[in-house]
Amino acid sequence: MRCWDGGKPWLRGEDPAVFTTTCLPSDQRLLATVTNAYLGTRVYRDILHVNGVYNGAVGDTHRADVPSPLSVRMTVPGADSLAETFSLNTQTGTFSHVLQSTSYTATHQIYAHHSLVHLMAFSITIRRSAHTGQPITVELRTPFVPKSQDLDLYQGLDFQGAHYVYGTTLVPEVEGGPRPTVHMLWTPVPQALTLCGEEWEQSWEFLTAVAESEEEVKRSYSEGLALIASGSLYSSHTRAWDALWRGCCIDLDGPLPLRQALYGCLYYLLSAIPPRDNPGFLFHGISPGGLSNGTRGEDYWGHVFWDQDTWVFPNILLFYPEAARAILEYRIRMLEGALRNAEEQGYKGAKFPWESAATGQEVCPEDIYGAQEIHITGDVLMAFEQYYYTTQDQKLFREDGGWKLVVAVAQYWCSRMVWSEEEQCYHIRGVMPPDEYHYQVDNSAYTNALARRSLRFAADIAQDLLIPVPEEWVECANKVKVPFDMEKKYHPEYDGYSPGERVKQADVVLLGFPLMHPMSPEVRRNDLETYEPVTELNGPAMTWSMFAVGWLELKEMQRAQSQLNKCFSNITEPFKIWVENSDGSGAVNFLTGMGGFLQAVLFGYTGFRITKTSLLFNPSCPDDVHKLKVTGVSYLGNKLKFTITKEEIRIKVTESPLDPPALPLEAVLEESGQRFPLGEGQSISFPTAAGWIQRSPTKAH
């Protein structure tokens, strides 16, 4: 059999949402993942992870390894000429392994239940295709042992036919802090399953339930059993995925690899977000490698970085504001830790940790990042700003802790600034910018521009909430230095940066997007041309997406395309798992790179920009993309569908709920000022041009 080995998989159907191969990659890290917002594993891996359950003190804290009863491989002993396929169906959130002979088919399906987040499951189905009268036996091999290096596990009494273990993590993140308890029930897995001679088809279903209380794990397992009894366990999972995809999709008439990349990115990101209609679920954030990774020593140990707020969040916000809110609520719950971080460094307010886990205190194993990479604090607040301008949800700020966080971030930035008599402006000294090749620099352009944006948003929302704005916020925002070279008309990365110095990743180019720092097209071009040739080719995967967005803004399609094409060297076959660096090093299942890539399409091709009063659009599609459809864009409570071609933009309001009421919208064209009312069910179209969606002016009675 010809196996895949780093090139293309040999089986490539035309369905861009299903990834199929006849041979698994030799690198186990590149296997498909099945996760929901609470549980996750890589297929055939002997451990799973639980969102928010970490073990180890401060710089040693990592996702606790929980033994996985799902690590089962299906084989048929002594069988000749079996056709074997492995598939990841991104539409149903299911991994399948199929063994096929002339007389039968055996199918193994694995999934993390999307709506019942405490459940993972697998099924084995044997279906006869010719009547031979012979029994058909499938062997199940599993390395599962109910032991963990991170949990003190005890065996409990069996429950409804399931085995039961429970235990606490060994070491709390901070002294005297909580040690989470994990409870797990699972259906015992036999060594073999047999379809008897007179049977044509038989299915066996196996459940794993995990929760942090005995009550919850037993309730979840019982619920799973009831669904199995009614024949609807799997269909309830696929219905949840179907609803998710109906609410959001990016598809295009264009190259198959691009369509596959989009489906892959969306699948892995949607796998990580909180389910709808589950208000009691406490979400613990998204780490760069997702829930399938984060063991001690790998993939950033499951910590939460700016990757969540800057790279993943905007995509989720545009489709699922309620899931975006859950991400912000995680940051609000971590505020006490952030206040302590600032205090320990001698500053006021809140300094969000470079690496966050269960407490919000700094857990980065290397001190330099936690001490100097302070832009994370502004990245967190920028996510709050984007959310507020997309939803106008004042409740998050008035009642649910958002305002306290805004104040704490503003206080931090003000206390971090030092007045320069010589330059008559505020400096922020001794930082590491996103470009981690440089540290202990003064006035990082990205960091300082972000601090300015934080303070301006803090002042704006204070006015909306009818709260007096401290003069210090306005003063610091107006007078913080953002380095600019008047002669060369570009932004030096920091004080003393020399053009030509190597840069690790996207840094100054982020001023244009997502910061939308005011600058002329000439300056935007100069920034791109200055940093593109000196940015590390093997740097983190999200970098080239941001160069692509910049070139798309300037309508330089070829240059944008060449940047976006670089991303494909980070996508591995056959399951479209991203690696952080194109040489294969760094984090695996790198959601950050996927988030950047999605933004290049979702904000680059469409020109979407979230502003204080509108959602801008200004499409720039490459030549090989003939039509772009973005379904489920959420704005001020409405759901919109955009269909964009070179000639025409069509916008339809697919939902405009009454409870709570969505705000009425209109589309406005930039050049002509022409206005189009947008009512539910209505579709408007006009020749492709720049414009924006805004709240309709309220009609006088």
Side-chain angles (χ1 to χ4, degrees):
M1 190 199 302
R2 230 179 103 227
C3 278
W4 174 87
D5 189 23
K8 295 179 180 177
W10 349 240
L11 296 179
R12 177 172 271 172
E14 286 301 302
D15 185 343
V18 181
F19 312 141
T20 300
T21 180
T22 57
C23 198
L24 295 174
S26 53
D27 185 342
Q28 300 289 301
R29 301 175 311 150
L30 307 180
L31 288 169
T33 71
V34 286
T35 75
N36 57 35
Y38 185 70
L39 294 171
T41 190
R42 203 158 61 216
V43 296
Y44 305 138
R45 195 180 191 190
D46 61 357
I47 57 168
L48 58 83
H49 291 128
V50 183
N51 200 354
V53 176
Y54 295 91
N55 179 48
V58 191
D60 190 48
T61 193
H62 54 277
R63 288 208 191 283
D65 286 358
V66 179
S68 173
L70 286 96
S71 57
V72 173
R73 282 296 293 268
M74 174 180 75
T75 61
V76 178
D80 295 326
S81 65
L82 277 179
E84 185 171 36
T85 56
F86 303 89
S87 297
L88 176 68
N89 186 326
T90 64
Q91 298 287 277
T92 62
T94 309
F95 180 83
S96 303
H97 173 208
V98 178
L99 292 170
Q100 193 158 17
S101 79
T102 51
S103 55
Y104 66 87
T105 304
T107 304
H108 178 196
Q109 290 190 314
I110 309 168
Y111 56 98
H113 203 290
H114 193 75
S115 55
L116 304 172
V117 293
H118 293 283
L119 293 180
M120 299 184 86
F122 73 89
S123 66
I124 304 284
T125 301
I126 306 174
R127 181 181 293 118
R128 205 181 286 278
S129 50
H131 191 62
T132 60
Q134 296 292 318
I136 299 160
T137 296
V138 171
E139 283 188 3
L140 303 180
R141 295 179 183 165
T142 173
F144 175 66
V145 180
K147 290 179 181 172
S148 167
Q149 61 182 12
D150 295 315
L151 297 159
D152 201 0
L153 287 175
Y154 298 91
Q155 194 171 339
L157 296 173
D158 283 7
F159 173 77
Q160 295 184 344
H163 292 337
Y164 177 32
V165 293
Y166 63 93
T168 53
T169 54
L170 301 175
V171 182
E173 188 172 304
V174 295
E175 203 172 328
R179 289 165 55 203
T181 303
V182 172
H183 295 257
M184 183 165 77
L185 289 164
W186 72 96
T187 314
V189 178
Q191 290 183 327
L193 296 168
T194 299
L195 183 71
C196 297
E198 67 278 4
E199 293 179 309
W200 276 89
E201 184 178 334
Q202 174 81 357
S203 282
W204 295 264
E205 298 196 72
F206 299 85
L207 275 180
T208 297
V210 184
E212 286 164 74
S213 73
E214 181 178 355
E215 181 187 17
E216 180 61 56
V217 80
K218 287 181 172 176
R219 189 191 65 74
S220 296
Y221 192 82
S222 298
E223 192 171 358
L225 284 184
L227 288 169
I228 288 173
S230 65
S232 55
L233 178 70
Y234 182 62
S235 61
S236 64
H237 162 73
T238 57
R239 267 199 314 275
W241 266 102
D242 186 49
L244 202 60
W245 281 110
R246 274 204 313 274
C248 88
C249 196
I250 310 168
D251 203 359
L252 45 83
D253 178 1
L256 182 63
L258 175 57
R259 296 179 71 205
Q260 290 175 318
L262 288 172
Y263 275 104
C265 290
L266 274 169
Y267 164 73
Y268 291 113
L269 257 60
L270 293 175
S271 297
I273 68 172
R276 303 170 83 180
D277 313 318
N278 200 336
F281 179 69
L282 266 192
F283 187 58
H284 291 279
I286 297 174
S287 62
L291 261 179
S292 53
N293 296 310
T295 296
R296 188 176 190 277
E298 66 165 37
D299 304 304
Y300 299 117
W301 300 11
H303 298 163
V304 178
F305 292 70
W306 74 311
D307 304 49
Q308 168 189 264
D309 311 84
T310 300
W311 299 99
V312 172
F313 180 87
N315 304 294
I316 292 169
L317 170 63
L318 216 51
F319 290 126
Y320 287 117
E322 58 274 31
R325 193 186 208 271
I327 290 172
L328 303 181
E329 287 165 353
Y330 165 76
R331 290 298 191 185
I332 291 170
R333 288 200 311 279
M334 298 298 113
L335 182 57
E336 288 305 313
L339 292 164
R340 186 170 297 180
N341 295 334
E343 187 181 8
E344 284 176 358
Q345 290 189 0
Y347 300 108
K348 293 178 184 170
K351 182 207 165 294
F352 280 92
W354 182 239
E355 299 187 30
S356 177
T359 66
Q361 290 180 234
E362 185 61 68
V363 294
C364 182
E366 295 134 284
D367 291 342
I368 188 171
Y369 301 102
Q372 293 189 30
E373 207 152 355
I374 64 171
H375 64 81
I376 174 76
T377 298
D379 298 316
V380 167
L381 197 61
M382 184 162 62
F384 277 81
E385 178 183 346
Q386 291 168 334
Y387 173 80
Y388 179 60
Y389 291 148
T390 304
T391 65
Q392 287 297 309
D393 174 10
Q394 289 195 0
K395 182 177 179 290
L396 180 71
F397 298 89
R398 288 185 188 278
E399 300 173 31
D400 299 335
W403 172 245
K404 188 179 174 188
L405 183 143
V406 171
V407 171
V409 169
Q411 288 173 335
Y412 174 74
W413 284 126
C414 291
S415 76
R416 195 64 178 73
M417 293 181 188
V418 178
W419 181 253
S420 164
E421 278 296 332
E422 185 186 346
E423 294 192 64
Q424 288 294 295
C425 60
Y426 287 103
H427 286 195
I428 299 178
R429 296 177 181 155
V431 305
M432 179 185 282
D435 164 24
E436 291 170 333
Y437 285 174
H438 296 96
Y439 52 91
Q440 201 63 37
V441 304
D442 296 342
N443 298 315
S444 146
Y446 177 78
T447 306
N448 289 22
L450 198 53
R452 171 180 289 173
R453 183 167 169 160
S454 294
L455 291 165
R456 286 187 170 156
F457 171 60
D460 284 347
I461 195 163
Q463 288 180 325
D464 284 3
L465 301 176
L466 305 178
I467 295 169
V469 179
E471 285 178 28
E472 184 186 27
W473 295 3
V474 179
E475 163 93 356
C476 288
N478 290 341
K479 295 185 178 175
V480 65
K481 178 181 181 179
V482 177
F484 184 70
D485 186 318
M486 295 295 288
E487 190 183 320
K488 296 191 177 79
K489 289 193 163 43
Y490 90 110
H491 292 95
E493 190 186 286
Y494 52 84
D495 282 355
Y497 175 83
S498 304
E501 281 189 58
R502 298 296 294 167
V503 169
K504 181 185 175 186
Q505 64 191 69
D507 187 310
V508 171
V509 297
L510 302 175
L511 292 183
F513 177 83
L515 256 61
M516 294 185 284
H517 186 72
M519 67 182 84
S520 67
E522 180 193 10
V523 172
R524 181 74 159 127
R525 177 181 295 275
N526 290 344
D527 283 349
L528 290 163
E529 291 190 331
T530 298
Y531 294 103
E532 189 181 299
V534 298
T535 300
E536 183 61 60
L537 263 176
N538 283 326
M542 63 281 188
T543 285
W544 306 114
S545 306
M546 292 301 106
F547 280 99
V549 171
W551 290 120
L552 287 166
E553 271 179 24
L554 297 171
K555 307 297 183 187
E556 292 264 15
M557 300 306 169
Q558 293 304 112
R559 297 183 82 160
Q561 198 59 28
S562 72
Q563 295 306 310
L564 204 60
N565 285 345
K566 291 179 186 176
C567 296
F568 285 86
S569 59
N570 296 79
I571 304 174
T572 66
E573 300 297 351
F575 302 117
K576 317 299 174 193
I577 292 282
W578 282 59
V579 287
E580 181 174 6
N581 305 313
S582 57
D583 61 5
S585 64
V588 173
N589 198 35
F590 191 50
L591 299 179
T592 315
M594 301 184 208
F597 186 79
L598 280 176
Q599 286 187 57
V601 174
L602 196 50
F603 292 85
Y605 285 7
T606 62
F608 287 160
R609 297 290 184 273
I610 297 163
T611 75
K612 189 174 173 180
T613 56
S614 61
L615 176 66
L616 307 181
F617 56 82
N618 186 4
S620 305
C621 285
D623 291 342
D624 57 2
V625 173
H626 308 295
K627 181 190 280 189
L628 173 67
K629 282 195 288 192
V630 185
T631 306
V633 173
S634 293
Y635 189 62
L636 302 183
N638 301 272
K639 282 280 195 182
L640 306 167
K641 179 179 180 180
F642 287 78
T643 307
I644 298 167
T645 65
K646 302 274 191 293
E647 297 77 33
E648 180 187 73
I649 300 177
R650 183 174 293 275
I651 306 171
K652 183 176 183 178
V653 180
T654 55
E655 290 176 40
S656 189
L658 297 172
D659 185 26
L663 297 173
L665 301 179
E666 63 179 9
V668 183
L669 297 188
E670 184 183 300
E671 203 167 298
S672 65
Q674 193 176 355
R675 294 165 181 262
F676 300 85
L678 282 166
E680 184 170 13
Q682 283 182 304
S683 194
I684 60 165
S685 61
F686 42 84
T688 299
W692 60 87
I693 310 288
Q694 66 181 22
R695 184 177 180 175
S696 295
T698 311
K699 291 172 186 164
H701 290 292

